[in-house]
Amino acid sequence: MERSCFDGGNVEVERLFIGAGCNRVVNNVSWGASGLVAFGAQNAVGVFCPKSAQILTTLPGHKAVVNCTQWLPSSKDAYKVQHAEKHHLLSASADGIIMLWEFHTIERKWRHALQIPEMHKKGVTCLTGIMLSENIGIIASTSSDRSIAVWEIVFPLGINDECKISCLQSISAGSKPVVALSLAELPDDKKNIVLATGGLDNKIHLYCGGLKGKFVHVCELKAHMDWIRSLDFSFPICLDGGTKSILLVSSSQDKTIRLWKLSARGSSTYCDVPYRKEDIGLTSFIEGPLFVAGNTFYQVSLESLLVGHEDWVYSVKWHPPLSKTLSEVESYQPLSILSASMDKTMMIWKPEKITGIWVNMVTVGELSHSALGFYGGHWAPDGESILAHGYGGSFHLWKNVGLDCENWKPHKVPSGHYASVCDIAWSKSGEYVLSVSNDQTTRIFSPWRNEVCLGNRAPWHEIARPQVHGHDINCVAIIKGKGNHKFVSGAEEKVARVFEAPLSFLKTLNHAVLQNLGFEDLQDVQILGANMSALGLSQKPIYANAVSEVSKRMKEEVPDSLEIIPDAVPVVLNQAPVEEQLAWHTLWPESHKLYGHGNELFSLCCDHEGKLVASSCKAQSAGVAEIWLWEVTSWKAVGRLQAHSLTVTKIEFSHDDSFLLAVSRDRQFSVFSIKKSGDEVNHRLITKQEAHKRIIWTCSWNPFCHQFATGSRDKTVKIFAIDSSNHPPSVKQISSLPIFKDSVTALSWLGHIRSSNTGILAVGMDNGLIELWNVSGGTSPSLPFSAAVAKRFDPFLCHVSTVHRLAWSSDEAGESKTMLLASCGGDNCVRVFEVRVN
């Protein structure tokens, strides 16, 4: 959790939660000696703690998608920096920019240390680095511009010193890009470094150079039949007597892993050369190439071929070196390799004790229905945990819980969307936040009360994934009013879909909030969960008696009985779920489809009584831009409201449900009066006004009266009021906030003190920043409307791209001085803030 700086002195903001998925890029994740995991989340660098399964922060600064992260010191150097006060993190993005961040372990604070001079013209594809001493590191970066840059970083020893970086060399990689790098000090030679590169030419290239650069291409290793995807050098190992060697492990899209040995063969005098480098004979083929580094000859030989994966092997990592004793700085290299593949598995390889043949000792992940393959695998610094990140933006963590033998069990990790989050909504009573995204999923985030983390607060987790769809989802509305939990979602299709909470979720929610929520109909809910259809468009209910019926048919050996076995196994969760449970066993059944719109859905809202839902779609004409009204119980269309000529971007009911406000791309807003009488709904257009010079993206009602705010691409927020004393009622502008620094894309109005019409207006912008404004008055000439900035969120708390939606957990704060504000944005993040008014 982080606290924002104080601006106005009367409002304090604390971030409670970040939900975000990992960019679907190889080399995107790094587990450092600090014990923290860094990853790219759209343009931000996310950092999470594996122990608490919480994302601690996101680091803003990159203008393009983050492709790579690399800790310095890395997990390989953990044994010698156990008490370091500062750790550093490198991040690189698709525009070629590399940044260095500083993390203070005691104060738990982050600082942007520097931006590395721009050397790459295209996106960076890989970063690697080693520590030569306590404060000097060597890093290498490569890009799709087919260049490799080698850098020296000098970290500060004093309090006021700054990091210094210098480019030692730029190496041309040839005609095909490089996507894998690894650096190591040569065995028994602290003055020379070896750099291994691999990429699209199917070869491994070795370069040797000194501590100040001057890397020379010394040999190439030909064995793989497809692109090289990952390379990793081991710590020096004593093999075959007392000679120290280093091992290089490589993986490829040819589904294989190869193990290479680099060992010293003597001094570089002519008589010591076993054969000349230019000789191409049987000896050279069997023993491998020779190269010179400093005054020593080194032999490269292929040690092993590891075959076991059934798809591309994206990642191989050596087990981090471990200290020999707690007091010694010396370390040893465990002979253990972790591989991650697109075949949905991670494997741990070790040599057999008797034969020395490398075999697969552990396999995890093979039962995962949702992973869709792993892009990378990583060891914890102590080697007792392994982490994978997958095609679906998800993390998967296993811990070794065995005593006498290895026993790897899945553990919870942070989760979230891996594409832009378009909309969020709070549940009726504020127990959870529901979000929808272009990653085609709907997710529910909630605090889990029986866990306690820093500050005696319940940590937030994703507790359900109600909808996994075949289209990008644009909007959502939770059905308010009495009854079971329901929501309506709209995607890039012409149909709105209605979902109802199954019994398994209702019981899980009771476990999460540690109280009986009083669902009167728990006994009547017969639907246990839902199954996904083949095309991912409809979710069919699983009834409570379905499992027993299937078991009975299985015993009777009914032909084709496998076709009726539910793919999902809905379960009641009594602790925060892991990814495999979320992706397959927490679906909600779809109860209705709402047909009527001519294009893909864009906006949804529900009235406060839970009786009407309004929807709009993308439109280029007045006929298509209609707002449809749906009756909640029958789900019949009961109204088609015409006012706009282009897409209606946001719709919202007033707090008393007597008005419906709509804003549009045509720069106009419209207000309709809504009257319900029995089964009929009467609506009438009160006004339509051009309010802004550019697209109006957002709007929000004052919970205490008929005032509303509109926000636009023209960087303005305007306040309007409805005068109901006129017949018909009239709408006039009563105020305009000062021009903002960027387009206003999200608004949410919280009522605080009814007597003075005082509240807080949350404003989200296209640049990801959020501001809170104190607003009051405007209900009479003697009490004019006033607005003043209460808080500008620290950029480290905010999104790094467009804020799509802001939502308070309740329309009115009442007597409470603590409120929750949720936000979502184009940076794939869902965030929850605690706002305290002093």
Side-chain angles (χ1 to χ4, degrees), residues 506-527:
L506 299 178
K507 291 184 176 180
T508 296
L509 187 60
N510 273 340
H511 282 295
V513 299
L514 282 186
Q515 63 186 36
N516 189 343
L517 295 176
F519 301 118
E520 299 85 0
D521 50 353
L522 272 183
Q523 301 296 326
D524 301 327
V525 178
Q526 296 300 315
I527 298 176

Side-chain angles (χ1 to χ4, degrees), residues 329-599:
V329 179
E330 288 188 35
S331 64
Y332 69 95
Q333 173 68 66
L335 290 178
S336 184
I337 294 171
L338 176 68
S339 62
S341 167
M342 284 298 286
D343 65 4
K344 305 182 184 180
T345 66
M346 283 208 302
M347 295 182 179
I348 297 177
W349 305 80
K350 295 182 181 181
E352 286 187 330
K353 292 182 179 180
I354 299 175
T355 64
I357 297 173
W358 285 78
V359 295
N360 168 27
M361 295 291 191
V362 177
T363 302
V364 295
E366 68 270 20
L367 298 179
S368 170
H369 299 285
S370 59
L372 297 176
F374 293 139
Y375 273 170
H378 303 270
W379 292 96
D382 62 0
E384 291 301 309
S385 300
I386 53 176
L387 176 76
H389 65 102
Y391 177 83
S394 57
F395 291 108
H396 307 258
L397 178 70
W398 289 268
K399 288 185 180 180
N400 183 12
V401 297
L403 297 176
D404 299 327
C405 60
E406 293 187 46
N407 183 14
W408 296 84
K409 295 293 185 183
H411 278 66
K412 61 180 180 291
V413 286
S415 65
H417 296 283
Y418 60 89
S420 177
V421 187
C422 302
D423 203 358
I424 51 173
W426 284 93
S427 64
K428 294 177 290 186
S429 303
E431 305 97 346
Y432 59 82
V433 172
L434 179 75
S435 60
V436 297
S437 165
N438 286 342
D439 69 3
Q440 305 185 349
T441 66
T442 300
R443 303 179 189 234
I444 290 178
F445 302 96
S446 167
W448 201 275
R449 303 290 181 189
N450 61 1
E451 292 182 36
V452 177
C453 63
L454 188 64
N456 294 321
R457 295 182 182 277
W460 285 63
H461 298 285
E462 183 180 350
I463 65 167
R465 203 166 296 171
Q467 183 184 9
V468 179
H469 202 34
H471 294 284
D472 294 358
I473 310 175
N474 295 328
C475 50
V476 70
I478 284 184
I479 307 302
K480 301 174 184 178
K482 296 180 179 180
N484 195 0
H485 293 244
K486 300 183 182 70
F487 72 86
V488 186
S489 68
E492 288 189 336
E493 56 177 347
K494 303 174 184 179
V495 184
R497 298 174 185 268
V498 184
F499 296 85
E500 184 169 350
L503 184 62
S504 58
F505 172 78
L506 299 178
K507 291 184 176 180
T508 296
L509 187 60
N510 273 340
H511 282 295
V513 299
L514 282 186
Q515 63 186 36
N516 189 343
L517 295 176
F519 301 118
E520 299 85 0
D521 50 353
L522 272 183
Q523 301 296 326
D524 301 327
V525 178
Q526 296 300 315
I527 298 176
L528 194 60
N531 260 327
M532 176 60 63
S533 68
L535 296 178
L537 293 176
S538 296
Q539 293 171 194
K540 305 300 183 184
I542 297 175
Y543 292 92
N545 58 355
V547 177
S548 59
E549 287 182 3
V550 169
S551 301
K552 183 178 178 182
R553 293 179 185 178
M554 287 283 289
K555 291 177 181 178
E556 295 173 358
E557 296 183 353
V558 177
D560 298 327
S561 60
L562 289 176
E563 295 182 4
I564 59 171
I565 296 177
D567 293 327
V569 183
V571 291
V572 177
L573 303 169
N574 53 22
Q575 61 181 0
V578 296
E579 176 66 25
E580 283 71 17
Q581 293 171 311
L582 284 168
W584 218 248
H585 307 313
T586 60
L587 295 170
W588 289 19
E590 180 184 312
S591 60
H592 294 85
K593 295 180 179 69
L594 310 182
Y595 296 95
H597 284 290
N599 283 328

Side-chain angles (χ1 to χ4, degrees), residues 139-209:
I139 65 168
S141 61
T142 187
S143 162
S144 355
D145 63 7
R146 301 189 296 278
S147 70
I148 303 165
V150 182
W151 314 79
E152 180 189 57
I153 297 183
V154 180
F155 298 114
L157 291 175
I159 298 175
N160 298 321
D161 294 342
E162 293 293 328
C163 293
K164 296 179 182 179
I165 189 163
S166 55
C167 183
L168 301 180
Q169 192 174 356
S170 181
I171 304 170
S172 174
S175 60
K176 295 189 177 180
V178 170
V179 295
L181 297 171
S182 187
L183 280 166
E185 292 178 294
L186 284 167
D188 294 325
D189 185 353
K190 297 295 184 182
K191 296 181 179 179
N192 287 286
I193 298 171
V194 60
L195 169 66
T197 72
L200 279 59
D201 64 355
N202 309 347
K203 303 173 186 176
I204 300 171
H205 299 267
L206 296 183
Y207 297 81
C208 279

Side-chain angles (χ1 to χ4, degrees), residues 473-724:
I473 310 175
N474 295 328
C475 50
V476 70
I478 284 184
I479 307 302
K480 301 174 184 178
K482 296 180 179 180
N484 195 0
H485 293 244
K486 300 183 182 70
F487 72 86
V488 186
S489 68
E492 288 189 336
E493 56 177 347
K494 303 174 184 179
V495 184
R497 298 174 185 268
V498 184
F499 296 85
E500 184 169 350
L503 184 62
S504 58
F505 172 78
L506 299 178
K507 291 184 176 180
T508 296
L509 187 60
N510 273 340
H511 282 295
V513 299
L514 282 186
Q515 63 186 36
N516 189 343
L517 295 176
F519 301 118
E520 299 85 0
D521 50 353
L522 272 183
Q523 301 296 326
D524 301 327
V525 178
Q526 296 300 315
I527 298 176
L528 194 60
N531 260 327
M532 176 60 63
S533 68
L535 296 178
L537 293 176
S538 296
Q539 293 171 194
K540 305 300 183 184
I542 297 175
Y543 292 92
N545 58 355
V547 177
S548 59
E549 287 182 3
V550 169
S551 301
K552 183 178 178 182
R553 293 179 185 178
M554 287 283 289
K555 291 177 181 178
E556 295 173 358
E557 296 183 353
V558 177
D560 298 327
S561 60
L562 289 176
E563 295 182 4
I564 59 171
I565 296 177
D567 293 327
V569 183
V571 291
V572 177
L573 303 169
N574 53 22
Q575 61 181 0
V578 296
E579 176 66 25
E580 283 71 17
Q581 293 171 311
L582 284 168
W584 218 248
H585 307 313
T586 60
L587 295 170
W588 289 19
E590 180 184 312
S591 60
H592 294 85
K593 295 180 179 69
L594 310 182
Y595 296 95
H597 284 290
N599 283 328
E600 54 263 40
L601 274 291
F602 196 85
S603 183
L604 284 163
C605 74
C606 179
D607 67 0
H608 294 78
E609 289 184 327
K611 294 183 178 180
L612 287 178
V613 168
S615 60
S616 69
C617 70
K618 292 184 179 179
Q620 295 289 334
S621 64
V624 182
E626 291 178 326
I627 300 167
W628 285 57
L629 295 179
W630 310 87
E631 187 183 44
V632 167
T633 52
S634 65
W635 294 110
K636 294 180 180 178
V638 292
R640 297 168 64 175
L641 286 57
Q642 291 187 348
H644 298 282
S645 57
L646 295 175
T647 305
V648 173
T649 55
K650 181 79 187 300
I651 41 184
E652 188 172 315
F653 285 94
S654 62
H655 194 63
D656 61 0
D657 294 333
S658 59
F659 295 103
L660 178 66
L661 170 65
V663 294
S664 168
R665 285 181 175 268
D666 63 13
R667 308 176 185 179
Q668 297 179 327
F669 72 80
S670 59
V671 178
F672 295 85
S673 67
I674 305 293
K675 293 183 179 179
K676 309 182 193 91
S677 56
D679 294 334
E680 293 186 2
V681 177
N682 298 313
H683 54 84
R684 181 165 57 91
L685 178 63
I686 291 177
T687 186
K688 182 176 74 170
Q689 297 182 19
E690 183 168 331
H692 293 269
K693 298 177 182 178
R694 304 289 299 276
I695 292 171
I696 308 177
W697 283 122
T698 182
C699 60
S700 185
W701 284 96
N702 183 341
F704 292 155
C705 63
H706 293 148
Q707 294 176 351
F708 60 86
T710 58
S712 165
R713 183 180 281 175
D714 65 9
K715 304 180 182 180
T716 64
V717 172
K718 295 183 179 180
I719 312 296
F720 297 86
I722 298 177
D723 186 355
S724 299

